[in-house]
Amino acid sequence: MIKKIFVALAIFGLFSIFLPIMINFDFHQNLSELSTQYVKGSVEDLNSQNVVTSVIVTYRGLDTLGEVTVLFLATAGIGFLLKKRKGKKRVASELLQTSSSFLSVVIIMFGIFIFSHGHLTPGGGFQGGVMIASAFLLLMLSDVNLELNHTILQFIESLSGAFYVVVGLIGLVLTIGFLNSKIIPLGEYGNLFSAGAIPLIYSFVGLKVGSELTNILDAMGGD
Amino acid sequence: MIFALILGFALLLIGIYGMLSQRNLIKIVISFSIADTGTHIIIVAIGYLRGRTAPILDKAIDIANATHKVVDPIPSALVLTAIVIGLAVTALMLSFIIELYKKKKSLSIDDYQELKW
Amino acid sequence: MVNPIFILILSLAAGFLLSIFEKGGRKLSLTVFYGVLSFNVFVIAEWFYRIVFLSEPALIINTAGFTAPLSINLRLGLQESFVLLFTNFTGLMAAIYLFRKFIKSHISSLILYLILIMGINGLVMTRDLFNMFVFMEIVSISTYALTILTKTRDSLTAGFKYMIAGGTASIFFLLGVVFVYYFTGNLNLDFITQSDFSHFGLISLFLLAMAVFIELKPFPANGWALDVYQSVNSGITSVIAVVNSAGIFFVFYKISPLLPVHLLHILGIAGVITFFFSNLMGLKQTNAKRLLGYSSIGQIGLLVASLSFTIHYQTSLIYLIVGGFFVNHLIAKAGLFWLTGIVEKENLKDWGVLKNNKSLLILFGVLLFALSGLPPFPGFWAKWEFIKILTQTKMFWVVGTILLGSLFEIIFLFRWFTIAVKGDIDSNEKEIPFEFSKLFPIALFSGIILLISVAIMKSYYDFTLIQLLPIIAVLGVYLLDFIPSKIKGFLSLIVVGIYGYYLYPFESNLQLFFGIIFIVGSAINIIGTLNRKNLSQGFYGFLLMMIFSFGNLIIAKTYLEFFLAWEFMTISSFVLILRGNKAQMASLMYMIFSTAGAYLMMVGFSYAPALNSNSVLINSIANVQLPVLSIILLAIGFMIKSGSFGVHIWLPEAHAEAESDVSPFISAILLKAGVFGLLMIGISYIKNTPSFDVFYFVGWFGVITALVGAFLASFQEDAKRLLAYSSMSQVGYIVASIAILSHLGWLSAMYLSFNHMMFKSALFIAIAGVYYRTHTRTMYEMGGLIKKMPLSYITVLISIIAVSGVPPLSGFGAKWLIYSSFIEKGWYFQAGVLFFSSGVSFLYLYRLIHTIFLGQLKYEHQDIKEAPIWFIIPQYIFMAGIMAISMNPNLIIQPLNSIVGHYFQSAILIDGYNITSSLGNWNGNLVMMVTMGVFIVPLLFLKLYNGKTQKVEQFNIVYAAERPESPQTTHIAHNMYAHYRKALGGWGKPRIWNFWHEATEWSHSFGDFFRHIYTGNGQTYILHIILYIVVIYIILGV
Amino acid sequence: MISTIIIILGIIMIVAGIIAVHLKNLLAAIIVSGAISLLASIIYLILGSPDVAMTEASIGAGLTTIVFLFALNKARKEDKND
C-alpha cells in the first residue's frame, strides 16, 4: 500500500516535471542551423538524396558504428548467456520447407535492395538487416536445417563489421578523416552508385545487422 | 506537433508506471519498451516542422529550396539509433529473465531479493 | 605517434574478428586480446607524455571529413589523456587479473571486455552528446553481459537489477540530449554554452545531469550498484567500480561547465550526503565486497562533491583535489577488489587468514591506508586542499559531514585491517594459493599509488627529503627486514643519532627542548627494544617512522608540514600498538580517536590565517591571530592526543596493550606531541589574545584529567594500565599548567614534561622487565619481587618518588612550581583539586610498588632472575637523569627559564641552587641534603638499636579453615582500593566509557536502519531513482 | 487533418498502453505492445520520418515482439521440462 502511494507520487512528480515542457513547448519554425547545413551538404557534398542516411552514415558515422557495436554486444552477451542446447528436431513438411526457403530468398533480396538504396529511398542498413533476419526467422520457424549456415553467418557478421571499419580506415589513411564517404567518387546524383561510400557502408551495416539479429533470434528461439 | 509530444510523454509515464507497479519480470520489460517508444515519439515530434515532408531530396522536392521544405533530419537519425539500441537492451534483458527463470522458476521480481542491505 | 582514434578502431575491429580468430585457437585470440589492450595503453601513454611533458596542445580529431559540429569530433587533451591512461591501464591490469578466467570462458567474454574498454575510451574522448549516449550504451550493455562472467543466481539477479536501473537512466539521458538539441540546435559540447539555454531550457540540462548523476550512484538511488559489487566476479567488479566509474565521472566533468551553479551545488551536496550515508551504512557491513561497494559509492560521492564545489574556482588546485580523489579512490579500490578475489572470504571476520601471508597483508595495508585518505597517499592531499577551500568559504556543514563520513570510513576500514592483522583463524585453514597473474596487478597498483604519492609530495608541495623520511624509513627497513633484530636495533640507534645531529641547530630553544624529549628520549628507549629475539619484522621501520615524525613535528614550517608529521606519527604509532598480542581493539580505538582529533585539527588549520614568514611554525605562529574556532578545534585535537578527560578512553587500552617495549614510547614521548601542540597555540594566544578565553576551559580539563586519571589508576589491577592512567593524570597537570599562560605555569609544564618523560619511560621499561620474567601484568599475581629483581625495584622506587612530588626528588620541584603558578594566577580552586589528586596518586604509586615488589614472593616466581640487561641500561640512564636534576634543579630550570622568558616576563629569580618565586623559594640541593639527612639519621638509629631482625619462613601461613579456590583474590593486593571505589559511589561508574560505547551503538544502529532502504527488490530501486529525480527537481525549484 | 489522425491514434495507443501494462495474460500484453509500436510507426510516417517509421515497424513492432515471444516460449518450455 505504501509502495503504491510512492509509485503514485513518483509518477505525479515526473508528470509535473514534464508538464511545463508540454505547456511551454514552442515548435521551431525553421530548421536549426546544423540541419540546414546537413540538408544542403547532403546534396552538395555527398550527392545523397536521403538526408537522414547522409547524417547517419557520414556526418554521424561514429554513432552508427557504435550502434552496430551495441547490437553486436547484445548478440555476444546473449550468446554468452544462453548457451545452446541440442534439442531434437521436429520435421516439418517438405512443402513448407521448400516454400519458406524460396520465400526467404525473396525476402533477403528485398533486404539487400533496401540497404543498398538507403541513400535514395527511406530505409537503409538497419531496416534491410531486419529483413534478412526475418528471412532466417522464417527458415528457423519452418525447421530448415541451419547447421551449415552458422559458420557462414559468423563469418559474415565478423567480416562485414571488420570491412565497415576498414572502409572507415581508408579515409583515415587518405587523411580525409575516419569514416569519410568521399573515398569513392560521388557519382551522379540519384543513381544507385552515388553518394560515395554510403551504399557500401550501408551494405556492410545491413549484412552485419542482419547476421547479428539472426544470431539473437537463433540464441533466443533455439531449444 | 504538440499532440504527438503529449502522446510521447503519456506513453513514457505509462511505461514507467508499469515498471514500478508490475511484479512480473516480462511485464517490466514490456513496460520498459513502451516507455522507450514514448521517448522515441517525443524525439520525432520535436523534429517535426508544420507542413513539411520527409528529408528525402528526390525529384518531388525543389533541391535549391529544400531547406524550407523538409523536416529536421537530425532527430530522425537519433531515433533510428535509439530504436536499435532499445532492441539490444530489451533482448539482453529478456535473456537475463530466461536464465533467472531457469534458476528459480519464478517470474516475480519479489522472488529475487536475496541480495540486500 | 599514432592517431588516438586507432584505439577505438583497433579494439572494434579486433572485437568483430575475435570469433574468427577463435577458430585458430584460444591462444591466438588471447594474443590479439592482450595485444590490443596493451596497444591502447601504449598509444595513450605516448600522448599523455607529449601533452604533459612536451606541452603539446590538445588534439581534436574530426571524423567523416567534416569539422564539428557537422561531424562528431573527439578530443584528447590533458584531462582526457590522463583519464584514458588510467582507465586503459586499469583495464589491462584487470584483464591480466582475469587471465585464468579468460583462458576458459566463452569467447564472447573477451569480445565484451575488449569493447567495454573501447566504449570507455570513446565515452571519454567524444565531444558529441548523442555520441556519448551511444558509447554509454556500449559500456552499459557490455557491462551487463559481463556481470555474469561467473554465473551464479546472485550475479544474474544483480545484473538484471543493474539493467533496469541503467535502462531507466538512459531514457532520461536520451531525453536530456534531445532537449538540449531542441533548445540549442546543437549536440556538440564545444558549441554549446550555458547562455544558449533559456530559463525554461534548463530542464534539458537537468534531465541530462540527473541521468549521469544516477549512473554515479547517489544515495539512496544506488541499491542496484551495491548488489552488483557484492555478487559479480571480483575482476569485473573492479572494472565496474573503477573503469566505468572513471568514464562516467568524466562525462559528468564534461557536462559540468554547462550546468547552472545552483544545480551543481545541489548535486555537490547530494554527493556529500552520499558519502556520509554510505560510510554510515558501511559500519554494519560484514560482507567484504559489499563493504567495498559502500565505500566505493561514498568515494564517488565525494569525488562529485569535490568537482561541483571547486569547478568555479580558477585555480590549479582543482587538479590536485579532483585528480587526487580520483586516482586515490580508483587505484585503491581496484586493488582491494582484486584482493577480495584472491582471499575469497566473504565475511570480514574470516580475513584473519591474511596474517599468514605477509606479502598480501602488506599490499592490503598499503591499499587500505590509501583508501582511508592518510598521507602520503593522494587522497590526503586532495582532502586537505578540499577542506581548506570549503572552510575558507565557510561551508562548515559540508566540512563536518564529509569529515564525519570519513571517520566512519576509518572505523570500518581499520576494523577490517585489525582483523586481517590480528583476527582469529581456523587452524585447518588452507594457505591462500599463489597466482602470479592475480597478484601482479595488485602489487603494481600498490607501487603506483606510492609513486604518485611521492610525485605529488615532490612536485606539488616541494617537500624536502626530510619530510619524506618517515616513508623512506618504512620502505627502507622493509628491505632490510631479514637482518636480526638486534642489529636493526643498533642501526636504528645510529640512524636516530644522525637524524638528531642533522636537526641539531634549532631556530629556538623551545625546539631544542622538545628535540631532547622526542629524539634523545626515543634513542634511550630504543635500547630497551634491543632485547628482542626474533626478526621483529616491520617493527623498526615503523619505530623509525614515528621518531622521524616527532622530529619533523618540531621543525615544521607550515601547517601542512606540521599536520603531515602529525599524521605520520599517528600511522606509525597505530601500527606499533597493533603489534601487541591483544591489541586489536586497543589500536582500533586509538586510530579512531586520533583520526577524529586529526580532522578537527585539519579544520582548525584550514581556518587559520596564512603564515607569512619562512620561520618554523612554532615561531611564526606568534605573528598570527588565530580565530577562536581554530583555537578550539586545535586544542581539542591536541587534547585528544594527550588523553584529556572525556576523550581519554583510548589511552589506557593503547598504552597497556602495546608490546611492553613500545609502551614507553607511546606513554612517555608520544603524549608530549599533544603538549607541544598546545604550547604552539599558546604562543599565538599570548601574542594575540582572542576574544574568548579558550584556555580557561583547557585548564579545567587539565585539572579534571589529573584527578580522574589518578583515581582510575588506583583501581587498576594491571600494572601497565595503572601506569597508563598515571600518564593521563600527569599530562593533565601539564595541560593545566600550560593553560595558566604565565611564566611559572609554562616553566612547570615544561619541567614536568621532561620529568615525566624520564620517570615514565623508566617505569614502563621496569614493568617490561617484570613482565618479561613473570609473563603477567596483573599485579596481585606478583609480589615480593624485590629479592629477585632488586635493580628494577630501585628504578620503580626512585621513579615513584619522582612522580609523587615528595622531597627530595625532582617531582617535588615540579609540584612546587605548579602550585606556585596556580596560586599566582588566582586559580585557587583548581590548585585545590590538583592538590587532592596528588594525594590520590599516592594510592596508585603505593599499590604499584607494594603489590609487585613487596610482600611475599609467589611460589611460581621462585626461580626468576633480574630483568635483562637491555632493560636495565635505559632505566639507569633515566635514573641518572632524575638524580642529576634532583640534586641540581638548575640544570634544567635555568635553560627552561630562558626559553619561557622568551614568551613571558620572568617571574623567578635563580641564584645558585636557589630558585625564588613570588611565593617563596626552593633550593633543590638543600632539600636533597635535608631529606637525606632526615632519612639517614633514623635509618642509622634503627640499625644501631634495633639490629636483631627475625627472619620468617615464607609461606608459613596457617589456614583457619578451607584453602580458598583462587588464593590471590583473597590477597590485599587484589581489588586493593575497593573501599575507595565504594566511597566514590555513583562517581565511580565508567560514564565516559559508556558514553562512547553508546555513541558507537547508536551510529551502528543508524547505519543499520538506513541500509534497510535497500530491500533487494529491483523495482524498489527504480522507484528510488524516479523519486530521487523528482526530489532534486523540487529542491531545484524551491 | 494530421492532428485528428494523431489524436485518434494517440488515444488508441494510450489505452493500449494502459491495457498492456495491466493485462494478466503475458501473450496478449506482448501483442498489444507490438501493436503500439506499429501505430507509432504510422505516426512517424505522418510526422515526415519514413526512415524511422520503417525501423520502428520492423524492429519495434516486428523483431522486439518476436524476441518477447521467444522469451515467453522459453520460459514455458522450462515449465514443461520439469
Side-chain angles (χ1 to χ4, degrees):
Chain A
M1 187 59 211
I2 295 172
K3 191 173 170 183
K4 274 186 183 160
I5 294 171
F6 275 117
V7 170
L9 275 177
I11 298 298
F12 180 75
L14 273 190
F15 176 72
S16 50
I17 294 178
F18 294 146
L19 190 64
I21 304 181
M22 289 187 261
I23 292 172
N24 299 327
F25 205 82
D26 183 19
F27 283 92
H28 292 309
Q29 296 302 314
N30 288 305
L31 290 183
S32 67
E33 202 181 326
L34 192 60
S35 314
T36 313
Q37 283 176 347
Y38 281 154
V39 172
K40 282 185 181 154
S42 179
V43 179
E44 290 161 14
D45 294 335
L46 298 173
N47 240 355
S48 159
Q49 285 191 357
N50 189 338
V51 183
V52 177
T53 298
S54 309
V55 174
I56 287 178
V57 179
T58 302
Y59 294 113
R60 306 190 62 86
L62 206 56
D63 274 352
T64 309
L65 187 56
E67 189 182 351
V68 171
T69 312
V70 168
L71 217 47
F72 176 68
L73 285 173
T75 318
I78 292 169
F80 186 39
L81 203 61
L82 307 171
K83 303 242 168 68
K84 296 232 319 179
R85 283 184 288 176
K86 285 256 158 96
K88 49 185 185 297
K89 287 210 181 302
R90 287 173 294 130
V91 181
S93 76
E94 200 152 322
L95 180 67
L96 183 59
Q97 286 196 8
T98 320
S99 55
S100 54
S101 298
F102 173 74
L103 196 59
S104 57
V105 171
V106 174
I107 298 177
I108 288 176
M109 297 301 285
F110 186 53
I112 291 173
F113 175 83
I114 289 183
F115 64 59
S116 56
H117 286 72
H119 56 301
L120 302 175
T121 56
F126 294 97
Q127 298 86 338
V130 178
M131 285 294 160
I132 292 177
S134 58
F136 279 96
L137 177 69
L138 194 61
L139 290 178
M140 218 186 312
L141 292 177
S142 54
D143 289 313
V144 175
N145 196 342
L146 280 171
E147 287 301 320
L148 180 76
N149 301 359
H150 249 296
T151 330
I152 299 174
L153 257 181
Q154 207 170 35
F155 264 89
I156 294 176
E157 181 184 347
S158 294
L159 290 178
S160 53
F163 281 133
Y164 184 5
V165 176
V166 169
V167 170
L169 260 181
I170 296 173
L172 204 58
V173 172
L174 297 176
T175 64
I176 53 174
F178 183 63
L179 284 173
N180 192 331
S181 30
K182 283 184 276 192
I183 52 170
I184 294 178
L186 289 174
E188 196 177 320
Y189 188 74
N191 273 5
L192 175 59
F193 294 104
S194 64
I198 289 181
L200 188 64
I201 290 176
Y202 239 177
S203 300
F204 288 133
V205 171
L207 287 175
K208 184 152 180 68
V209 170
S211 45
E212 279 164 355
L213 291 176
T214 311
N215 275 337
I216 292 182
L217 290 174
D218 189 40
M220 294 195 68
D223 289 306
Chain B
M1 179 48 62
I2 189 70
F3 298 112
L5 193 73
I6 293 170
L7 169 64
F9 277 118
L11 284 180
L12 175 59
L13 286 177
I14 291 170
I16 290 176
Y17 168 73
M19 285 173 80
L20 294 178
S21 62
Q22 297 302 311
R23 298 264 181 255
N24 186 305
L25 294 174
I26 292 186
K27 288 291 271 300
I28 290 176
V29 181
I30 291 175
S31 310
F32 175 75
S33 76
I34 290 177
D36 233 12
T37 309
T39 319
H40 301 156
I41 294 178
I42 294 170
I43 301 172
V44 173
I46 286 176
Y48 180 71
L49 299 173
R50 187 180 293 277
R52 297 195 179 192
T53 61
I56 296 174
L57 312 178
D58 51 17
K59 311 226 159 54
I61 292 181
D62 172 20
I63 293 174
N65 216 3
T67 50
H68 298 291
K69 288 280 158 61
V70 296
V71 302
D72 196 338
I74 294 177
S76 299
L78 303 188
V79 172
L80 227 117
T81 309
I83 290 175
V84 176
I85 290 174
L87 169 70
V89 175
T90 310
L92 199 60
M93 279 183 182
L94 287 171
S95 47
F96 263 80
I97 292 176
I98 293 172
E99 283 300 298
L100 281 173
Y101 192 77
K102 272 187 197 158
K103 302 261 181 207
K104 211 175 178 179
K105 299 279 173 288
S106 166
L107 280 179
S108 169
I109 197 162
D110 296 335
D111 288 332
Y112 297 96
Q113 307 193 8
E114 291 90 355
L115 297 167
K116 54 183 161 188
W117 305 338
Chain C
M1 182 171 125
V2 184
N3 189 331
I5 202 168
F6 272 103
I7 65 173
L8 303 183
I9 295 171
L10 205 64
S11 306
L12 261 183
F16 288 154
L17 290 174
L18 261 181
S19 50
I20 290 184
F21 289 133
E22 180 69 1
K23 306 266 186 255
R26 181 53 63 95
K27 265 191 187 149
L28 178 62
S29 27
L30 279 175
T31 314
V32 172
F33 176 71
Y34 285 105
V36 172
L37 286 178
S38 318
F39 171 82
N40 291 354
V41 174
F42 174 75
V43 171
I44 288 298
E46 195 194 349
W47 278 106
F48 182 68
Y49 171 78
R50 286 172 165 278
I51 291 170
V52 174
F53 295 101
L54 308 181
S55 325
E56 288 196 4
L59 186 70
I60 305 284
I61 306 146
N62 286 306
T63 60
F66 298 94
T67 51
L70 270 184
S71 73
I72 295 165
N73 63 344
L74 308 174
R75 181 178 191 275
L76 190 71
L78 175 64
Q79 298 92 327
E80 283 88 357
S81 59
F82 172 71
V83 174
L84 282 184
L85 182 62
F86 179 78
T87 51
N88 279 291
F89 187 69
T90 313
L92 177 62
M93 285 301 127
I96 291 175
Y97 176 84
L98 286 165
F99 180 66
R100 280 171 190 240
K101 193 86 194 160
F102 279 149
I103 290 178
K104 281 176 249 147
S105 67
H106 194 274
I107 182 71
S108 294
S109 57
L110 295 183
I111 299 175
L112 289 165
Y113 192 92
L114 197 59
I115 297 189
L116 167 62
I117 302 296
M118 190 285 301
I120 302 279
N121 290 337
L123 194 58
V124 171
M125 283 197 287
T126 185
R127 299 299 294 169
D128 186 279
L129 277 174
F130 189 76
N131 198 235
M132 235 179 251
F133 169 76
V134 173
F135 277 117
M136 213 134 118
E137 290 298 313
I138 289 178
V139 171
S140 305
I141 291 180
S142 40
T143 314
Y144 302 150
L146 280 173
T147 53
I148 43 133
L149 184 63
T150 308
K151 195 152 122 193
T152 60
R153 195 169 80 201
D154 280 348
S155 68
L156 269 171
T157 321
F160 184 74
K161 291 175 195 171
Y162 188 10
M163 289 188 79
I164 47 177
T168 313
S170 75
I171 287 180
F172 285 97
F173 193 85
L174 185 58
L175 274 180
V177 170
V178 168
F179 279 108
V180 168
Y181 172 71
Y182 168 78
F183 287 112
T184 65
N186 231 319
L187 283 167
N188 197 302
L189 282 175
D190 297 332
F191 295 85
I192 304 171
T193 55
Q194 209 180 315
S195 53
D196 292 341
F197 292 89
S198 59
H199 179 68
F200 164 59
L202 290 178
I203 185 77
S204 59
L205 290 176
F206 169 74
L207 291 172
L208 197 64
M210 285 321 289
V212 178
F213 198 61
I214 292 293
E215 294 267 2
L216 288 171
K217 313 162 192 95
F219 169 84
N222 52 13
W224 46 278
L226 291 165
D227 294 353
V228 170
Y229 289 142
Q230 182 181 350
S231 61
V232 173
N233 176 303
S234 302
I236 297 300
T237 316
S238 72
V239 174
I240 298 174
V242 175
V243 182
N244 284 18
S245 299
I248 294 169
F249 176 72
F250 196 75
V251 171
F252 183 68
Y253 170 76
K254 281 201 276 194
I255 62 167
S256 55
L258 286 182
L259 304 181
V261 179
H262 62 296
L263 177 57
L264 262 182
H265 255 250
I266 290 172
L267 295 184
I269 288 168
V272 171
I273 290 173
T274 305
F275 180 69
F276 176 80
F277 277 99
S278 43
N279 286 326
L280 177 65
M281 292 182 294
L283 287 177
K284 263 301 217 193
Q285 274 308 313
T286 51
N287 180 303
K289 285 178 74 185
R290 200 172 174 88
L291 179 70
L292 283 179
Y294 273 106
S295 153
S296 211
I297 286 166
Q299 290 285 343
I300 293 287
L302 186 60
L303 195 55
V304 169
S306 70
L307 181 69
S308 312
F309 289 134
T310 57
I311 194 157
H312 294 289
Y313 292 95
Q314 298 300 325
T315 83
S316 63
L317 276 178
I318 293 171
Y319 291 110
L320 180 64
I321 295 173
V322 181
F325 281 132
F326 182 88
V327 166
N328 188 71
H329 159 55
L330 297 177
I331 290 185
K333 204 46 70 64
L336 285 173
F337 269 123
W338 291 333
L339 254 173
T340 58
I342 291 183
V343 177
E344 285 190 325
K345 294 286 174 202
E346 284 208 340
N347 199 315
L348 293 180
K349 282 198 188 74
D350 303 328
W351 273 64
V353 289
L354 265 187
K355 73 178 160 197
N356 291 336
N357 192 328
K358 282 277 177 314
S359 50
L360 275 185
L361 185 61
I362 290 170
L363 295 179
F364 181 61
V366 169
L367 296 168
L368 204 97
F369 276 65
L371 189 59
S372 318
L374 291 171
F377 298 104
F380 170 77
W381 313 106
K383 192 180 277 170
W384 170 266
E385 298 294 348
F386 186 42
I387 294 294
K388 208 156 122 185
I389 285 187
L390 289 177
T391 316
Q392 280 159 6
T393 46
K394 298 211 160 57
M395 296 171 73
F396 290 116
W397 279 107
V398 175
V399 171
T401 317
I402 288 178
L403 292 181
L404 197 55
S406 302
L407 188 62
F408 292 141
E409 193 176 28
I410 293 275
I411 294 174
F412 64 68
L413 288 179
F414 276 84
R415 189 160 53 199
W416 192 7
F417 184 68
T418 56
I419 292 172
V421 179
K422 287 285 156 191
D424 304 321
I425 49 170
D426 242 344
S427 50
N428 51 13
E429 189 66 63
K430 275 177 286 176
E431 285 251 323
I432 299 170
F434 175 81
E435 286 179 48
F436 179 75
S437 62
K438 283 190 170 182
L439 199 60
F440 171 71
I442 306 178
L444 196 62
F445 264 42
S446 311
I448 287 175
I449 201 164
L450 273 170
L451 273 181
I452 295 178
S453 315
V454 174
I456 292 179
M457 285 179 81
K458 285 300 288 179
S459 65
Y460 228 101
Y461 288 108
D462 206 18
F463 282 133
T464 50
L465 194 66
I466 197 100
Q467 265 96 17
L468 291 169
L469 214 49
I471 321 170
I472 296 170
V474 172
L475 296 178
V477 177
Y478 176 67
L479 294 177
L480 298 176
D481 244 357
F482 56 91
I483 301 176
S485 62
K486 238 185 211 81
I487 300 177
K488 280 188 284 192
F490 275 114
L491 287 177
S492 306
L493 249 178
I494 296 169
V495 171
V496 170
I498 297 170
Y499 175 71
Y501 177 75
Y502 172 82
L503 291 187
Y504 173 59
F506 290 104
E507 268 185 40
S508 72
N509 286 333
L510 187 61
Q511 278 180 291
L512 178 63
F513 174 73
F514 276 97
I516 291 169
I517 290 188
F518 287 146
I519 308 295
V520 180
S522 298
I524 299 171
N525 273 319
I526 287 180
I527 301 172
T529 68
L530 292 174
N531 194 43
R532 288 170 172 260
K533 296 275 186 294
N534 48 6
L535 276 181
S536 290
Q537 282 180 325
F539 173 75
Y540 282 105
F542 283 100
L543 187 66
L544 283 179
M545 181 179 182
M546 183 167 78
I547 297 172
F548 291 154
S549 346
F550 290 150
N552 285 353
L553 211 54
I554 49 178
I555 57 160
K557 289 190 170 168
T558 60
Y559 300 134
L560 182 57
E561 284 179 12
F562 184 90
F563 191 63
L564 180 68
W566 187 270
E567 287 283 67
F568 278 148
M569 186 179 79
T570 304
I571 294 173
S572 47
S573 48
F574 162 73
V575 176
L576 289 176
I577 291 169
L578 183 58
R579 291 179 63 91
N581 265 338
K582 293 174 187 162
Q584 192 180 329
M585 199 55 214
S587 59
L588 181 62
M589 231 153 64
Y590 172 66
M591 193 65 201
I592 295 169
F593 275 91
S594 296
T595 311
Y599 287 158
L600 295 178
M601 285 167 59
M602 191 193 256
V603 181
F605 280 134
S606 305
Y607 199 54
L611 298 166
N612 47 10
S613 85
N614 197 26
S615 186
V616 287
L617 188 56
I618 199 149
N619 288 340
S620 58
I621 203 160
N623 310 323
V624 173
Q625 167 94 49
L626 288 179
V628 175
L629 181 73
S630 275
I631 295 177
I632 294 175
L633 293 175
L634 288 172
I636 298 175
F638 293 131
M639 281 160 76
I640 288 178
K641 202 55 154 199
S642 61
S644 273
F645 173 73
V647 285
H648 64 271
I649 65 160
W650 63 271
L651 184 145
E653 305 293 327
H655 290 204
E657 295 302 339
E659 288 175 303
S660 48
D661 54 359
V662 172
S663 296
F665 288 99
I666 307 289
S667 206
I669 299 176
L670 181 68
L671 291 180
K672 303 299 183 306
V675 172
F676 179 71
L678 278 175
L679 274 177
M680 191 178 77
I681 40 176
I683 287 170
S684 160
Y685 200 99
I686 49 176
K687 299 277 179 185
N688 314 279
T689 313
S691 51
F692 177 71
D693 192 4
V694 181
F695 269 59
Y696 178 74
F697 296 93
V698 172
W700 264 112
F701 266 101
V703 167
I704 296 171
T705 308
L707 180 65
V708 173
F711 262 116
L712 286 170
S714 314
F715 299 137
Q716 301 307 315
E717 303 288 2
D718 177 330
K720 283 176 77 180
R721 291 176 74 92
L722 184 151
L723 290 180
Y725 277 118
S726 150
S727 282
M728 170 183 165
S729 171
Q730 293 294 319
V731 175
Y733 282 103
I734 300 175
V735 169
S737 8
I738 292 174
I740 288 175
L741 295 175
S742 72
H743 183 269
L744 264 181
W746 281 31
L747 190 64
S748 44
M750 289 164 72
Y751 181 81
L752 194 54
S753 293
F754 190 70
N755 207 20
H756 178 251
M757 186 272 286
M758 292 200 293
F759 67 68
K760 199 46 69 70
S761 296
L763 278 173
F764 263 113
I765 298 174
I767 296 300
V770 170
Y771 177 71
Y772 184 75
R773 294 300 185 202
T774 62
H775 307 293
T776 180
R777 299 186 327 228
T778 314
M779 288 183 289
Y780 60 78
E781 288 174 3
M782 299 181 250
L785 291 179
I786 180 169
K787 294 207 164 142
K788 298 289 175 187
M789 312 179 81
L791 293 175
S792 303
Y793 168 72
I794 292 173
T795 309
V796 174
L797 179 67
I798 293 181
S799 301
I800 65 169
I801 295 175
V803 182
S804 59
V806 290
L809 294 188
S810 50
F812 172 71
K815 293 283 155 75
W816 180 77
L817 283 169
I818 287 177
Y819 299 135
S820 308
S821 58
F822 270 75
I823 289 163
E824 185 197 62
K825 172 88 171 179
W827 286 6
Y828 302 111
F829 191 54
Q830 286 94 323
V833 176
L834 278 189
F835 198 75
F836 180 61
S837 55
S838 287
V840 178
S841 61
F842 282 116
L843 293 180
Y844 67 76
L845 293 170
Y846 171 68
R847 181 176 191 170
L848 184 72
I849 198 156
H850 171 84
T851 51
I852 295 180
F853 289 100
L854 305 179
Q856 288 199 338
L857 187 67
K858 293 290 185 288
Y859 187 74
E860 58 269 30
H861 296 154
Q862 291 291 335
D863 300 324
I864 63 172
K865 288 183 274 185
E866 178 56 82
I869 182 74
W870 299 116
F871 287 146
I872 299 296
I873 294 173
Q875 288 176 34
Y876 279 82
I877 296 177
F878 288 122
M879 283 313 103
I882 291 176
M883 291 313 285
I885 293 176
S886 307
M887 301 276 265
N888 186 359
N890 283 340
L891 275 180
I892 178 103
I893 294 287
Q894 200 130 32
L896 286 183
N897 187 38
S898 78
I899 293 174
V900 179
H902 193 68
Y903 305 102
F904 300 99
Q905 186 72 41
S906 180
I908 57 169
L909 199 79
I910 301 175
D911 171 27
Y913 287 127
N914 203 30
I915 301 167
T916 314
S917 79
S918 58
L919 295 169
N921 64 342
W922 167 43
N923 185 330
N925 207 334
L926 187 65
V927 170
M928 183 69 127
M929 296 301 169
V930 171
T931 318
M932 290 307 259
V934 169
F935 187 67
I936 287 168
V937 170
L939 191 71
L940 287 176
F941 179 81
L942 284 172
K943 273 281 173 197
L944 281 177
Y945 292 93
N946 203 6
K948 288 177 193 165
T949 51
Q950 190 189 352
K951 276 233 166 180
V952 180
E953 191 63 30
Q954 274 195 345
F955 301 108
N956 183 10
I957 303 168
V958 179
Y959 294 105
E962 276 180 280
R963 190 172 186 275
E965 281 291 317
S966 53
Q968 286 105 347
T969 52
T970 59
H971 193 271
I972 176 181
H974 178 255
N975 207 358
M976 198 167 180
Y977 296 122
H979 44 292
Y980 288 122
R981 196 190 276 271
K982 275 189 192 132
L984 280 175
W987 294 95
K989 284 186 187 144
R991 283 171 198 279
I992 300 296
W993 177 272
N994 286 350
F995 169 78
W996 288 111
H997 184 72
E998 287 292 308
T1000 317
E1001 289 291 307
W1002 272 89
S1003 51
H1004 278 68
S1005 310
F1006 269 125
D1008 199 32
F1009 173 76
F1010 281 110
R1011 74 190 181 131
H1012 276 74
I1013 57 161
Y1014 300 132
T1015 58
N1017 190 325
Q1019 203 164 35
T1020 318
Y1021 294 165
I1022 315 178
L1023 183 60
H1024 290 160
I1025 292 176
I1026 305 283
L1027 283 174
Y1028 192 80
I1029 294 175
V1030 170
V1031 168
I1032 297 281
Y1033 182 76
I1034 292 171
I1035 294 173
L1036 200 61
V1038 170
Chain D
M1 173 60 188
I2 290 175
S3 305
T4 336
I5 297 174
I6 288 181
I7 290 173
I8 294 168
L9 283 178
I11 291 170
I12 297 173
M13 284 168 75
I14 290 171
V15 172
I18 294 169
I19 290 173
V21 166
H22 281 288
L23 265 181
K24 282 276 178 283
N25 185 337
L26 285 179
L27 183 66
I30 292 169
I31 303 286
V32 173
S33 80
I36 294 173
S37 287
L38 205 60
L39 294 178
S41 73
I42 297 176
I43 288 187
Y44 296 150
L45 203 58
I46 295 170
L47 294 182
S49 310
D51 286 272
V52 184
M54 274 179 81
T55 317
E56 180 74 35
S58 57
I59 291 183
L63 266 182
T64 308
T65 312
I66 289 169
V67 169
F68 268 114
L69 291 176
F70 277 173
L72 189 62
N73 188 31
K74 275 223 158 174
R76 293 214 172 134
K77 239 179 219 164
E78 284 293 325
D79 278 345
K80 272 182 205 154
N81 285 350
D82 295 309

